[in-house]
Amino acid sequence: MPQASPRGGDAIDRRNLDWYIDKGVQVLVFIGGVSGILFVISIFVFITKEGLGFLTEQFSIGEFFGSPRWAPTSSHNPTYGALALIAGTASVTGLAMVIAVPFSLGAAIFIGEFATGKPREYLKVLVELLAAIPSVVWGFIGLSIMNPLIIKLFNVPVGLNVLNSGFILGLMAAPIMTTIAEDALKAVPDTYREAAEALGATRWQVILRVVIPAAKPGLLAAVLLGVGRGFGETMAVLMASGHSINLPTSVFDSVRALTATIAAELGETAVGSDHYRALFTLGIFLFVVTFVINLTADLVVRGIRRK
Amino acid sequence: MASAEAVSDIAIETRQVNLWYGTFQALFDVDLQIPRGRITSMIGPSGCGKTTFLRSVNRINERLGYVRTTGSIEVLGYDIYAPDVELVQVRKRIGMVFQRPNPLPLSIRDNVVFGYRVHSGRRKIPQTELDELVESALRQVLLWDTVKDRLDRQATELSLEEQQKLCIARLLPVKPAVLLMDEPCSALDPKGTEAVEELIWQLRGDYTILIVTHNMAQARRASEECIFMLLGKVVEHAPTDEIFVTPRNQETADYIEGRYG
Ligand SMILES: Nc1ncnc2c1ncn2[C@@H]1O[C@H](COP(=O)(O)OP(=O)(O)OP(=O)(O)O)[C@@H](O)[C@H]1O
Ligand SMILES: [Mg+2]
């Protein structure tokens, strides 16, 4: 209890306002941290619970991964082959990376190593603005700009295809990849650049032989996070990919992505039906894949690489 | 462009060098003639511009956008601030050792031949050629026997003393004429200091060495000429024996006797 000490001044156990504020903030931060973990776990439990029935009863690994026939609404013979959906997601993400990796690494190198002062700040803000564009807007661009453009340029019947959605997705993933890649470059100590320059290396040689090798884990993480982003993206892909079940053989084929399938079909299924549960199985699959990608990225960032 | 001076005994000649960091002037009318093939030490209190001077001799100062230099610096007869000078060539002739050992984040082997690779301009250099370079450079800095079995390990795993020796070794394959050393022993323990000093002493003759030090004993032991700087100006430049025994200048005397701290 607060008490005047015999020697004057405050008693040694006196608790003032700061003490209570400190304790309060500690509790709040603790709740914040724990609830984050709880949310993730409960989402996972929920998805698993909903999808589990299908996994244990109708699920056949051979059909799920081997058959391109996704026809859960067929009245006489519903089939649940996810191969075409997986191929759709993979092809779109793959093309997106082909576009985004050189773009974003190039942008990161320019912003991090060449630009200085004002232009550099403007560029960074611009990249962050790009990252803030909602995905439905990207999808809209895919539908209304890319679609007619592709039809006209390549003389194909439909412009909603792998090319369209891969391009859109590449543009979407590039800003975040640029930001992370630039952070990785910035983390390379300047003494390395100075040492290499003092040895007579040109700016470009410094970047190629010293900075990029030193930043490699971070750059790899940037790419992996971009892949994760592409995998999980729904809206833009739904709008720009054509949404038709296909094993793509060229970039002009329409495809359907895993995420888009869930988004488009979940609303029309009866809760608890086979179809409903099959969609949740797709969800589990997506969850696991993105989780593995993000985990890998995380491990790479920490430099834990298997030799 | 080569003049008669190229064969003179002066390796570095500066005329009226003034240098500004933004609006702050760090060097004032520096006029120096640094002899070829000798070790010249540079002493002076903290902040007097030793590092600044050194860094303007290989133009590494220019990495900072806000540095302005006037006057001329001639190295082996070439004005390195002339407009048509190639920085890469300047740095090929003038090697630099930094205060903190700064090996590149590459293998020991790649560190030694980094400069050589950069300057050779060839895509592929025969492995035997590289191996020979690595061995001879590491032998010269007395590092070969300790690292010969782990040439492919990261250079950053070495001890500080070994790192600093490596930083000297990687200059040698490029065959520079001048070595600039900015307090090369300040991050080392006494044993490391002794070893690196020994090494620098051995390189004398083949290279013109300009070494900054805070260590009076080191300047005295390890250099033939000595420059004393104060507040961005050169106060005295004389043979080391003279400057330490009979300094001409009161400020020099005060500094040498430790009155500047
Ligand atoms: N990058 C810089 N930007 C602005 N001012 C600088 C910069 N580097 C050095 N200076 C200033 O220039 C002056 C000379 O610095 P310099 O580092 O050359 O001194 P020094 O003699 O090497 O000192 P020390 O013995 O501490 O290494 C100092 O006043 C310092 O504050
Ligand atoms: Mg200094």
Side-chain angles (χ1 to χ4, degrees):
Chain A
M1 276 286 99
Q3 225 173 37
S5 87
R7 298 156 88 194
D10 293 331
I12 198 162
D13 60 350
R14 199 181 98 91
R15 294 172 174 181
N16 58 11
L17 186 61
D18 287 341
W19 188 90
Y20 290 103
I21 292 178
D22 183 55
K23 273 281 172 280
V25 170
Q26 274 186 36
V27 170
L28 276 179
V29 169
F30 179 76
I31 292 173
V34 168
S35 63
I37 298 169
L38 276 182
F39 280 139
V40 173
I41 291 177
S42 46
I43 289 171
F44 186 69
V45 168
F46 173 72
I47 297 177
T48 316
K49 194 171 73 58
E50 296 295 312
L52 207 59
F54 183 80
L55 268 180
T56 47
E57 293 158 27
Q58 284 92 337
F59 185 72
S60 125
I61 290 196
E63 187 189 9
F64 190 80
F65 288 107
S67 157
R69 282 179 46 80
W70 178 259
T73 47
S74 163
S75 52
H76 49 280
N77 179 25
T79 51
Y80 302 97
L83 184 64
L85 309 181
I86 295 173
T89 292
S91 59
V92 173
T93 309
L95 180 66
M97 288 306 114
V98 168
I99 291 164
V101 168
F103 254 109
S104 50
L105 292 191
I109 289 173
F110 182 73
I111 296 177
E113 302 290 320
F114 288 101
T116 49
K118 275 271 160 57
R120 181 194 165 119
E121 294 310 311
Y122 289 143
L123 272 172
K124 288 180 75 166
V125 172
L126 200 73
V127 168
E128 263 143 43
L129 271 181
L130 273 177
I133 297 178
S135 61
V136 68
V137 173
W138 284 112
F140 188 72
I141 294 174
L143 264 181
S144 60
I145 299 176
M146 292 290 294
N147 184 24
L149 200 68
I150 290 175
I151 293 175
K152 218 170 112 196
L153 276 180
F154 299 101
N155 200 16
V156 285
V158 269
L160 297 175
N161 48 28
V162 175
L163 180 63
N164 191 335
S165 46
F167 186 79
I168 291 289
L169 201 57
L171 292 185
M172 286 178 69
I176 182 173
M177 289 167 70
T178 305
T179 306
I180 294 172
E182 198 231 326
D183 284 345
L185 295 177
K186 211 165 52 193
V188 176
D190 201 43
T191 53
Y192 291 163
R193 297 184 186 85
E194 191 170 82
E197 268 185 50
L199 281 165
T202 61
R203 205 107 166 257
W204 181 237
Q205 285 169 328
V206 173
I207 291 170
L208 209 62
R209 293 172 188 228
V210 179
V211 178
I212 292 182
K216 210 189 258 159
L219 297 179
L220 211 61
V223 172
L224 280 175
L225 285 176
V227 172
R229 175 94 169 84
F231 234 82
E233 174 50 36
T234 308
M235 204 47 175
V237 177
L238 175 65
M239 291 164 79
S241 65
H243 202 60
S244 67
I245 297 168
N246 242 330
L247 280 176
T249 53
S250 92
V251 290
F252 299 113
D253 285 342
S254 294
V255 290
R256 185 194 278 201
L258 287 162
T259 48
T261 307
I262 300 177
E265 296 180 5
L266 195 59
E268 294 155 16
T269 58
V271 174
S273 67
D274 282 352
H275 186 190
Y276 174 88
R277 295 190 300 183
L279 289 178
F280 270 93
T281 306
L282 290 185
I284 296 175
F285 178 67
L286 267 174
F287 191 95
V288 170
V289 171
T290 1
F291 181 76
V292 168
I293 292 174
N294 285 353
L295 189 72
T296 319
D298 202 47
L299 292 182
V300 167
V301 167
R302 294 179 201 196
I304 305 168
R305 280 157 293 169
R306 263 169 285 164
K307 293 260 154 91
Chain B
M1 234 172 66
S3 62
E5 271 175 301
V7 289
S8 82
D9 288 339
I10 303 301
I12 306 171
E13 179 162 24
T14 73
R15 290 193 203 92
Q16 299 290 306
V17 172
N18 287 279
L19 185 144
W20 289 262
Y21 290 109
T23 54
F24 173 79
Q25 187 165 7
L27 293 179
F28 297 84
D29 297 335
V30 174
D31 280 305
L32 280 173
Q33 295 197 323
I34 290 163
R36 194 189 182 113
R38 303 266 197 92
I39 302 182
T40 304
S41 62
M42 196 167 230
I43 57 172
S46 201
C48 69
K50 306 180 294 293
T51 298
T52 303
F53 177 73
L54 222 59
R55 289 169 64 89
S56 56
V57 176
N58 69 346
R59 293 183 61 178
I60 197 84
N61 252 342
E62 287 165 33
R63 298 190 71 235
L64 306 169
Y66 54 92
V67 170
R68 191 163 66 86
T69 316
T70 63
S72 79
I73 299 181
E74 274 184 18
V75 177
L76 304 167
Y78 293 97
D79 179 1
I80 59 163
Y81 278 87
D84 58 347
V85 155
E86 282 298 329
L87 275 185
V88 169
Q89 297 307 325
V90 168
R91 290 172 187 161
K92 187 175 169 185
R93 280 149 194 265
I94 307 173
M96 183 166 215
V97 180
F98 295 78
Q99 186 165 356
R100 276 209 72 77
N102 58 355
L104 296 167
L106 309 169
S107 69
I108 295 172
R109 185 198 306 275
D110 288 339
N111 259 279
V112 177
V113 292
F114 183 89
Y116 187 78
R117 280 209 174 107
V118 157
H119 290 292
S120 82
R122 283 177 287 167
R123 283 208 161 266
K124 228 129 181 74
I125 302 172
Q127 192 58 42
T128 49
E129 187 182 337
L130 292 179
D131 288 344
E132 278 166 26
L133 282 171
V134 170
E135 177 166 351
S136 89
L138 289 175
R139 274 193 194 285
Q140 278 190 69
V141 299
L142 316 173
L143 204 55
W144 174 251
D145 290 324
T146 38
V147 303
K148 65 170 184 275
D149 300 322
R150 43 185 175 143
L151 291 175
D152 292 311
R153 302 291 293 274
Q154 280 284 311
T156 40
E157 290 172 14
L158 296 171
S159 75
L160 279 180
E161 174 193 336
E162 290 164 339
Q163 287 187 12
Q164 196 63 306
K165 285 179 170 175
L166 180 67
C167 289
I168 297 174
R170 71 182 173 191
L171 303 175
L172 306 180
V174 182
K175 299 203 178 3
V178 176
L179 300 181
L180 306 171
M181 304 192 174
D182 191 357
E183 302 187 45
C185 302
S186 68
L188 310 182
D189 60 15
K191 207 181 113 284
T193 303
E194 198 182 320
V196 171
E197 257 178 44
E198 174 88 0
L199 164 64
I200 294 170
W201 194 249
Q202 287 188 9
L203 295 172
R204 178 179 107 262
D206 296 335
Y207 303 92
T208 302
I209 298 176
L210 181 58
I211 177 171
V212 167
T213 176
H214 265 140
N215 182 335
M216 288 307 115
Q218 183 176 60
R220 222 172 156 162
R221 274 197 303 270
S223 73
E224 293 151 286
E225 292 200 2
C226 185
I227 298 165
F228 173 62
M229 287 185 72
L230 191 63
L231 296 171
K233 297 188 179 95
V234 173
V235 174
E236 193 162 343
H237 177 191
T240 306
D241 305 335
E242 284 177 28
I243 217 171
F244 279 93
V245 180
T246 52
R248 261 169 291 152
N249 206 292
Q250 188 54 42
E251 286 152 329
T252 318
D254 288 347
Y255 181 72
I256 288 170
E257 283 158 29
R259 263 174 257 159
Y260 278 93

